[in-house]
Every structure is written in structure tokens, then in C-alpha cells.
Amino acid sequence: MFQYDLVVVGSGPAGRRGAIQAAKLGKKVLVIEQGKRVGGVSVHTGTIPSKTLRETALNLSGWRERGFYGRSYRVKEEISADDLRRRLLITLDHEVEVLEHQFARNRVQHIRGKASFVDQSTLEVVKDDGEVVKVTGASVLLAVGTKPFRPDYIPFDGKTVLDSDELLDIEELPRSMAVVGAGVIGIEYATIFSALDTAVTVIDPKPTMLDFIDREIVEDFTYQLRDRNMKILLGTKADTVTRLDNGRVELKLDNGRHMVTDMVLFAAGRMGATDTLNLDAAGLEADNRGRLKVNPETFQTSVPNIYAAGDVVGFPSLASTSMEQGRIAARVAVGAVAKEPPKYFPYGIYAVPEISTCGLTEEEMKERGIPYECGIARFRETSRGHIMGLDTGLLKLIFSLKTRRLLGVHIVGEGATELVHIGQAVLNLKGTVEYFVENTFNYPTLAEAYKIAGLDAWNRMGDIKSEL
């Protein structure tokens, strides 16, 4: 009756993981991708490009060595946009090649074109050459991702006023930049360009930023940004953005301040890329940000045979969690058993410096009324930190006083997104403070910070064995 067991729209993290999972279960799978190459937003304009840009900026600027050689140290004196783009293209080519090989060896079919629903099981695909084909699937997985929110009052031109997708194609690095939006994307790009010695100002109408991160970590992070002369204007709205005749951009803020800058990055949210799918024909409706509501355990939409996963379903909008969502959705869609993933997953913010977190924040511990103790370690307390020239970096562990279990791990500093996985494992395996006190860590490593933080908490919690 159907051409395919599963039709997947979108080849980003959720789409590709879902498609390959269904194929491994022996199902006939088709992936529809409207981009020029497979990979979705994650590969071409989001996760991979921004992280590649970050790594290139840190390498060419000599950022990591400045603790030893001073703030004026540079690996390359004049860094151009072409320098950043060169490494980006090499990385993207490799990512696409790997993904195409994964599809080929798992016999996942894929076509290029724009998909829209005819009914809940049928999709019309318009290819680049104008050819129109119809495909049917017993189940459909929507993994279309998101696109930048572009309000009408912002005069986007792709050169001096840009969204986060357009930023990757700039022709030269600006001397100054205003970033409108202090969310994850805005903060990541703001700190990357700051590391390249662009004078950066961050503007956001909310009085706080990164509210899902432990406040102590955000405070340490904010201090580091201000210490290197980044301007952070929270509780401030950009009322107007105007391109000037001299090629620069003027911003008028609601507190009466005026700013003139070389470039404006507007990064105040993203929209689900569902506007071209003709959702009405399938009996679906998106919210005002283009996102789809799903069952959080199965990722099934209100239409039983249609599933959605990844950024299009909203928070946490991470490539890592999107992959798991796609895998679970595909298993449920083809009738296989899908186990619920562990409760706690890591969240990574690839700013300069990195932030990563897993489990409960101190604020959540207070809200839930859980008696707790914290352990703190600073990277400068480790020998590895001295070797690397680090004078910043913080690891915070939160333990229950009643059970002594680790309930939260929060890190800001070099390698945070790698280090967090030690805490993630202990947390999900219900480990206690004794794990960090009694175990041996490689020396010298930044991971030793776990032992330092564990001992810091243990010294105040007391030795459970001596109390029994």
C-alpha cells in the first residue's frame, strides 16, 4: 500500500539518526532534503559551522596561549574571513561525505526537493528541476529543524545586518559588532568574535541571560566576558536598527542610548521550518513559532502516523538530544520497542569560554527543598591548568545531603563540554560524593577538578563511614 515504511523530511541530526535506525530494523526508508547537500541546518549553518568557526578563531588568534605570552600574542597577525571559511569548507565536505556514506551502506534512499503534505501519508516533492513526485509512507518523521527569526523591523541586508545563517558568509571581519539576543546562539557568536578582537556589545531586553544555567556559573562567565571588555546590556531593547550611508549601522536603545557599529547580528530566536509543509492537509497545526507539539516519550504528533523530532519540537534544541529523539521516534514509528533515555543529559554552550551542565542547578535544588552541599574547584588549582596557562575555569558539583548522591554538575572554562561527561555518568548511575573522593584521576589533567570539588563538598558533609 505504501512506497516506504518511513518517510523522513529533513536530514539533520534527528532526521539522519531516525532514518538510519529504521533502516537498521530492515525498513524501507526515504529521506527528503531541500538543501543542496544532506546534513540539514546542523551541518551547514548551525552546530558544525559555529563550532568550526570557534576552533579556527581560537587557533589562529592564539587565544589559548595568551595566559603565558600575554594578550597581544597572535599566531596569525591578520586573520581574514577567508581564513575562517577555508577550514569551514573542509570540515563541511567531510561531514557530508560521512553522512552520504552512512545512507548508502544502510540503504537509505534520499532525494532533493521541497516536501509538502497532500494528506497524512502522502507528500508532494518539488525537485530543483521542477519535476514533481509523490511519495507515501506508513509513517512520516518531520525533522525539518528551524530557521532564524527575522522580524520586519530589522533591515537585514546580508552584509551589515545579518542573521546567524548569513554570518558564515561575511566577506571581512568587523571591527565592531552589536549582537541583539543573549540566547545560546547570540552568546556563542558574540564571544567568538570577541576572541578575534572585535569590539562586541550584547543587547537583550531580558534582565538575565542563560536562565537554565546555574547562576554561579553565569556570574563567573559574565565576569570573564566583561574582563575582556565585552559590553553586556541586559534589560535593554533595541528599538530601531538603521543602516547609515557610510556603511555602518545605528541602533537606538529604549534607555535613550545610541550606538554606531560596523555590523549587527540579530539572534533573537528561531522559528520551526514548517511554513512550507502544508500542515493543514495532514491535520497538523504549528504554534506561533512554527513548532510542533509531540508526546515527549514517543515524539508522536496529534496525527498518529506522523512524528516530529529535533529543534522543530522546541527545547532543548541540541544536536545531541535531537539524535536521540529521532532514533526513539523512528523505533516507535516502525513498531519497535523504544527505551526511555536517561533522565539527565548534558547541555553544551560553545562560547569562549565553554559552558556545560548536567542535572539540577542550585536554584532548582532550593525550589524543590532538597538539602544540599556544593563542591567547587577552579582550574587554576590543577597542575594541568598551570601547564595550559589557565587562570579561569570553574567546576561545581551539587550533592544531596540526605543520600550523598551527585545531583548536578556545572562547568565553565576550557574543555567544559568534554569534562561534563564524567559527571553525567556518575549522576545517571546514582553515584555519591565518595566516588570522587576515593577514585584516582589521571595526573595532570583538568579532570582532577572533580576530585578537588568532591573533596571540597566532602569536607563539609563529613565522612559517612565515621558517622555510622
Side-chain angles (χ1 to χ4, degrees):
M1 182 177 176
F2 298 104
Q3 291 170 270
Y4 299 94
D5 297 305
L6 180 66
V7 173
V8 181
V9 184
S11 63
R16 70 173 181 253
R17 183 63 65 90
I20 291 169
Q21 171 65 95
K24 286 186 182 295
L25 293 169
K27 304 302 180 181
K28 189 177 181 184
V29 182
L30 173 70
V31 173
I32 305 168
E33 171 57 58
Q34 71 172 4
K36 293 180 180 178
R37 304 171 81 186
V38 294
V41 168
S42 172
V43 168
H44 297 290
T45 58
T47 305
I48 301 300
S50 62
K51 281 51 178 180
T52 304
L53 180 66
R54 178 186 186 276
E55 196 64 25
T56 309
L58 295 183
N59 284 347
L60 294 181
S61 67
W63 177 269
R64 292 188 175 101
E65 308 301 319
R66 291 183 186 176
F68 280 116
Y69 306 122
R71 295 191 178 190
S72 62
Y73 176 75
R74 301 287 184 280
V75 171
K76 191 174 190 293
E77 282 300 325
E78 294 293 331
I79 301 172
S80 69
D82 283 339
D83 292 326
L84 304 178
R85 194 175 296 109
R86 193 174 300 119
R87 181 163 174 170
L88 180 60
L89 293 175
I90 294 170
T91 304
L92 298 192
D93 283 345
H94 176 71
E95 286 286 319
V96 170
E97 184 181 330
V98 168
L99 182 50
E100 287 177 341
H101 178 58
Q102 286 179 335
F103 280 173
R105 74 169 187 258
N106 287 286
R107 299 183 182 179
V108 173
Q109 297 179 40
H110 63 94
I111 59 174
R112 274 182 56 197
K114 291 187 177 181
S116 59
F117 281 102
V118 176
D119 57 48
Q120 67 184 49
S121 300
T122 308
L123 289 135
E124 183 178 87
V125 184
V126 181
K127 296 184 177 181
D128 289 349
D129 60 5
E131 181 188 0
V132 178
V133 297
K134 288 185 179 180
V135 297
T136 58
S139 296
V140 177
L141 172 57
L142 298 176
V144 293
T146 57
K147 58 187 178 180
F149 173 52
R150 291 170 60 101
D152 295 338
Y153 68 90
I154 301 296
F156 293 100
D157 63 1
K159 292 183 178 180
T160 56
V161 183
L162 316 95
D163 62 35
S164 56
D165 287 0
E166 296 170 328
L167 188 64
L168 299 167
D169 296 319
I170 59 174
E171 295 178 0
E172 59 183 71
L173 298 182
R175 293 172 63 88
S176 59
M177 171 188 279
V179 177
V180 180
V184 173
I185 295 171
I187 288 295
E188 285 185 348
Y189 279 124
T191 58
I192 289 168
F193 276 85
S194 171
L196 290 167
D197 295 316
T198 295
V200 177
T201 302
V202 177
I203 303 163
D204 197 290
K206 296 194 300 295
T208 57
M209 66 177 180
L210 305 177
D211 290 336
F212 59 96
I213 301 293
D214 187 276
R215 284 297 93 193
E216 190 170 6
I217 296 297
V218 174
E219 287 169 8
D220 188 278
F221 177 72
T222 305
Y223 173 81
Q224 291 189 50
L225 302 191
R226 288 192 164 128
D227 187 52
R228 67 188 205 230
N229 208 30
M230 269 184 65
K231 301 290 187 293
I232 303 173
L233 306 180
L234 300 178
T236 304
K237 185 175 181 240
D239 279 339
T240 62
V241 178
T242 308
R243 295 197 305 269
L244 303 177
D245 293 339
N246 62 4
R248 304 190 79 198
V249 186
E250 182 185 45
L251 295 93
K252 293 182 180 178
L253 310 183
D254 63 356
N255 61 4
R257 290 179 66 171
H258 287 214
M259 285 178 55
V260 177
T261 184
D262 290 341
M263 185 177 288
V264 172
L265 168 62
F266 187 86
R270 293 179 69 87
M271 301 276 293
T274 54
D275 55 324
T276 60
L277 289 175
N278 191 24
L279 294 175
D280 289 345
L284 284 173
E285 185 178 351
D287 68 11
N288 63 343
R289 278 287 178 119
R291 293 169 299 207
L292 296 170
K293 188 175 181 180
V294 294
N295 179 323
E297 294 179 2
T298 64
F299 299 96
Q300 190 175 40
T301 67
S302 57
V303 179
N305 73 310
I306 301 177
Y307 299 76
D311 288 8
V312 74
V313 304
F315 187 86
S317 297
L318 298 169
S320 55
T321 52
S322 295
M323 289 180 190
E324 267 310 286
Q325 292 172 2
R327 186 186 69 80
I328 292 168
R331 289 186 68 86
V332 175
V334 301
V337 176
K339 290 184 179 179
E340 189 176 348
K343 183 177 181 181
Y344 297 112
F345 58 86
Y347 204 113
I349 300 176
Y350 292 82
V352 184
E354 291 180 9
I355 297 175
S356 201
T357 180
C358 186
L360 301 179
T361 65
E362 190 170 351
E363 290 70 36
E364 288 171 325
M365 297 289 284
K366 291 175 182 176
E367 286 172 13
R368 299 185 187 194
I370 303 172
Y372 68 93
E373 187 56 80
C374 296
I376 298 286
R378 301 187 185 277
F379 288 178
R380 64 172 178 263
E381 298 177 85
T382 67
S383 296
R384 179 71 177 191
H386 297 158
I387 293 167
M388 296 170 67
L390 301 179
D391 57 6
T392 59
L394 170 73
L395 183 146
K396 177 179 181 179
L397 302 179
I398 304 176
F399 299 95
S400 163
L401 279 175
K402 183 178 179 181
T403 65
R404 301 177 74 85
R405 278 178 49 192
L406 177 68
L407 295 181
V409 51
H410 311 283
I411 314 172
V412 56
E414 183 69 26
T417 54
E418 299 284 352
L419 286 169
V420 74
H421 296 108
I422 298 171
Q424 176 195 4
V426 176
L427 201 158
N428 281 319
L429 292 170
K430 301 182 179 180
T432 66
V433 65
E434 280 72 29
Y435 174 87
F436 302 103
V437 173
E438 296 170 0
N439 271 278
T440 302
F441 290 82
N442 270 340
Y443 174 87
T445 60
L446 291 180
E448 277 186 281
Y450 275 102
K451 193 173 190 74
I452 296 168
L455 283 165
D456 184 43
W458 184 83
N459 287 334
R460 285 189 294 274
M461 294 168 72
D463 184 350
I464 190 171
K465 293 173 184 175
S466 65
E467 294 170 1
L468 293 175

